[in-house]
Amino acid sequence: MRVIFNEEMRQVADDMDRMASAVSTAIRTAGRALLGPDVEAAQDVIDGDQAIDRLESSVIDQCIQLLAKQSPVATDLRIVVSTLRLAATFERMGDLSRHIAEAVRRSYPDSPLPPEARELFGKMQDFLNDMADRLVAMLADRDTKVAERIIVDDDQLDCLHQQTFQLALSDEWTGSKQQMIDLVLLARFMERIGDHGVSAARRVVYIVSGFDPSKDPKDLEDID
Amino acid sequence: MRVIFNEEMRQVADDMDRMASAVSTAIRTAGRALLGPDVEAAQDVIDGDQAIDRLESSVIDQCIQLLAKQSPVATDLRIVVSTLRLAATFERMGDLSRHIAEAVRRSYPDSPLPPEARELFGKMQDFLNDMADRLVAMLADRDTKVAERIIVDDDQLDCLHQQTFQLALSDEWTGSKQQMIDLVLLARFMERIGDHGVSAARRVVYIVSGFDPSKDPKDLEDID
């Protein structure tokens, strides 16, 4: 049984790796679309989201099959249940990348952001691009060190998120009302992608170590 | 085994009913806090959120115990896996209610909304209050008719959400920049509560009927 479990679990893990890499591409491409603005890149993200949704369905179906046929316990069970939640988290990151792309497409050929917001959103995107790389590496290597870096560094994104509000409230702001609405939504989408990255990192720490950092009282935060 | 499963599953179902009723209270109280503004109501929502988080942890732990000890298959397995996802959805609705309450507390004694936005947000809140009642009834009775009403009616909330942007862009708008930011965030939080209500309704349809409406291609939307 154990051998069969490992073999079938490896197939699920392969799909999770594919999902992480598809989400990583969506995050990067949505950022390129936003900072261009690049409407072709935006369309790529929108078109690519259904493939991420299909990967989630496939992972969920395989996990339910595994539970039904192998009745895993202990560590194996923890892996399957955490994988179910990890798949939902990645699917949501794909949705949020699509929302960013849809905002770009809506305002194209104009940018949804005024020029003075470009540098700040560039910094947020650099952060998300690094996180996207880490998510892929974390999952491929089940690397808790990388996972812990993702969890700890999230404060930096929250800080940049706060700065977007300060910019919108400052005299520096030249944007239209529509750009103010887009700035608030886009910054929120990007912050939520970061939150879901933290959530995914916590799942991987739990899978590998059995310790669930999201149960740490100080961490009972907005991560799921 | 089946008898033990039913007995233990009933305990999980009781916790889910408690969770639905706690979330329903959070949604209503957050709305009262927002439309007041009522800072005591806001504080109640913020203080109450950890109880919802604890219920989620309890449901997850019980589901994992059930999977480990009973190795459910077929319908029983579908119920346990769907319950795991349902608990995460309710926990998120609690977080979003807390975000609304935090915005009220931040701007108190002022309202986060200008007077002209009050009627529209009152309509959104009426919708969410009805949905909150339906969620409790749906879960208590495993009533797919109520679930389907929740899924179908969500368009009304999306329409009201769009109207909040139209209001902010209109000449009628008298709010400050900070109120514009709060309007966009608050409307987003309320729309997301509705999306999660739809997600919960779909889980219940799946638990009862085995049909997963979220797999319907036209429904591959932003619901989780």
Side-chain angles (χ1 to χ4, degrees):
Chain A
M1 285 301 255
R2 173 85 201 168
V3 174
I4 301 169
F5 175 85
N6 288 340
E7 178 47 41
E8 297 193 350
M9 198 61 225
R10 188 170 308 110
Q11 292 171 25
V12 179
D14 289 345
D15 270 356
M16 286 306 300
D17 288 342
R18 270 190 281 278
M19 210 174 169
S21 118
V23 167
S24 171
T25 301
I27 291 170
R28 284 186 173 282
T29 312
R32 209 172 68 240
L34 175 61
L35 297 170
D38 178 340
V39 76
E40 284 77 14
Q43 195 59 49
D44 288 344
V45 174
I46 295 161
D47 296 341
D49 189 44
Q50 284 215 356
I52 295 172
D53 295 337
R54 278 191 297 270
L55 275 169
E56 184 202 15
S57 298
S58 159
V59 167
I60 290 170
D61 293 344
Q62 291 175 74
C63 286
I64 292 176
Q65 287 293 318
L66 262 169
L67 290 168
K69 293 190 306 186
Q70 310 289 340
S71 305
V73 295
T75 305
D76 292 348
L77 177 56
R78 196 172 71 215
I79 291 172
V80 176
V81 171
S82 298
T83 301
L84 280 168
R85 302 180 70 184
L86 202 51
T89 298
F90 278 129
E91 188 275 336
R92 187 71 197 128
M93 295 170 94
D95 285 342
L96 289 160
S97 302
R98 174 168 51 81
H99 293 341
I100 293 168
E102 285 164 342
V104 171
R105 190 174 63 175
R106 210 163 38 238
S107 61
Y108 194 79
D110 298 328
S111 169
L113 299 171
E116 64 271 20
R118 210 182 173 297
E119 183 185 356
L120 190 50
F121 276 77
K123 285 183 190 168
M124 291 180 83
Q125 189 59 44
D126 290 342
F127 179 95
L128 290 180
N129 290 346
D130 290 345
M131 190 193 74
D133 291 340
R134 288 177 179 176
L135 283 172
V136 173
M138 168 187 80
L139 218 65
D141 310 333
R142 291 281 185 270
D143 186 334
T144 56
K145 285 269 158 295
V146 175
E148 281 152 16
R149 292 256 320 269
I150 291 172
I151 295 169
V152 169
D153 287 358
D154 186 56
D155 291 348
Q156 297 170 27
L157 183 62
D158 293 340
C159 174
L160 290 167
H161 182 225
Q162 286 307 314
Q163 289 177 39
T164 62
F165 298 141
Q166 290 158 17
L167 172 66
L169 295 169
S170 72
D171 299 339
E172 210 191 324
W173 178 259
T174 67
S176 64
K177 279 172 152 187
Q178 181 61 58
Q179 285 175 314
M180 171 90 80
I181 291 171
D182 285 334
L183 171 130
V184 174
L185 288 175
L186 288 164
R188 172 75 182 166
F189 297 151
M190 293 169 88
E191 182 222 8
R192 290 296 298 152
I193 289 173
D195 289 338
H196 283 289
V198 169
S199 178
R202 288 178 166 165
R203 295 271 84 75
V204 166
V205 170
Y206 180 63
I207 288 173
V208 174
S209 70
F211 168 68
D212 185 349
S214 69
K215 293 251 179 97
D216 183 334
K218 80 174 187 318
D219 288 335
L220 274 178
E221 270 317 307
D222 176 17
I223 61 154
D224 280 316
Chain B
M1 284 301 258
R2 172 84 201 170
V3 174
I4 302 170
F5 176 84
N6 288 340
E7 178 46 44
E8 297 192 350
M9 199 61 224
R10 189 170 307 111
Q11 291 172 26
V12 179
D14 289 345
D15 270 356
M16 285 306 299
D17 288 342
R18 270 189 282 277
M19 211 176 168
S21 125
V23 167
S24 171
T25 301
I27 291 171
R28 283 185 174 283
T29 311
R32 211 173 67 242
L34 175 61
L35 298 170
D38 179 339
V39 75
E40 284 78 15
Q43 195 58 50
D44 288 344
V45 175
I46 294 162
D47 296 341
D49 190 44
Q50 285 214 355
I52 295 172
D53 294 337
R54 279 191 297 270
L55 276 169
E56 184 203 15
S57 297
S58 160
V59 167
I60 291 170
D61 293 344
Q62 291 176 74
C63 287
I64 291 175
Q65 287 293 318
L66 262 170
L67 290 168
K69 292 191 308 186
Q70 310 291 339
S71 304
V73 295
T75 306
D76 292 348
L77 177 57
R78 196 172 71 213
I79 292 172
V80 176
V81 171
S82 298
T83 301
L84 280 169
R85 302 179 72 185
L86 202 51
T89 298
F90 279 130
E91 188 275 336
R92 188 70 196 129
M93 294 170 95
D95 285 342
L96 289 160
S97 302
R98 174 169 50 82
H99 293 342
I100 293 168
E102 286 165 341
V104 171
R105 189 174 64 175
R106 211 164 36 237
S107 60
Y108 194 79
D110 298 329
S111 168
L113 299 170
E116 64 271 21
R118 210 182 172 298
E119 183 186 355
L120 190 50
F121 277 77
K123 285 184 188 168
M124 291 179 84
Q125 189 59 45
D126 290 342
F127 180 95
L128 291 180
N129 290 346
D130 290 344
M131 190 193 74
D133 292 339
R134 288 178 178 175
L135 283 172
V136 173
M138 167 186 83
L139 218 64
D141 311 332
R142 290 281 186 271
D143 186 334
T144 56
K145 285 269 160 296
V146 175
E148 281 153 15
R149 292 262 314 275
I150 291 173
I151 295 169
V152 169
D153 287 357
D154 186 56
D155 291 349
Q156 298 170 28
L157 184 62
D158 294 339
C159 174
L160 290 167
H161 182 224
Q162 287 307 314
Q163 290 177 41
T164 62
F165 298 141
Q166 290 158 17
L167 172 66
L169 294 170
S170 73
D171 299 339
E172 211 190 324
W173 178 259
T174 68
S176 64
K177 279 173 154 187
Q178 181 62 57
Q179 286 175 313
M180 171 88 82
I181 291 171
D182 286 334
L183 171 130
V184 174
L185 289 175
L186 288 163
R188 172 75 182 166
F189 296 151
M190 294 170 88
E191 182 222 11
R192 290 296 298 152
I193 289 173
D195 289 338
H196 283 289
V198 169
S199 179
R202 288 178 166 166
R203 295 271 85 74
V204 166
V205 170
Y206 180 63
I207 287 173
V208 175
S209 70
F211 168 68
D212 184 349
S214 68
K215 292 250 179 99
D216 183 334
K218 81 174 180 322
D219 288 335
L220 272 177
E221 268 320 306
D222 176 16
I223 59 152
D224 280 317

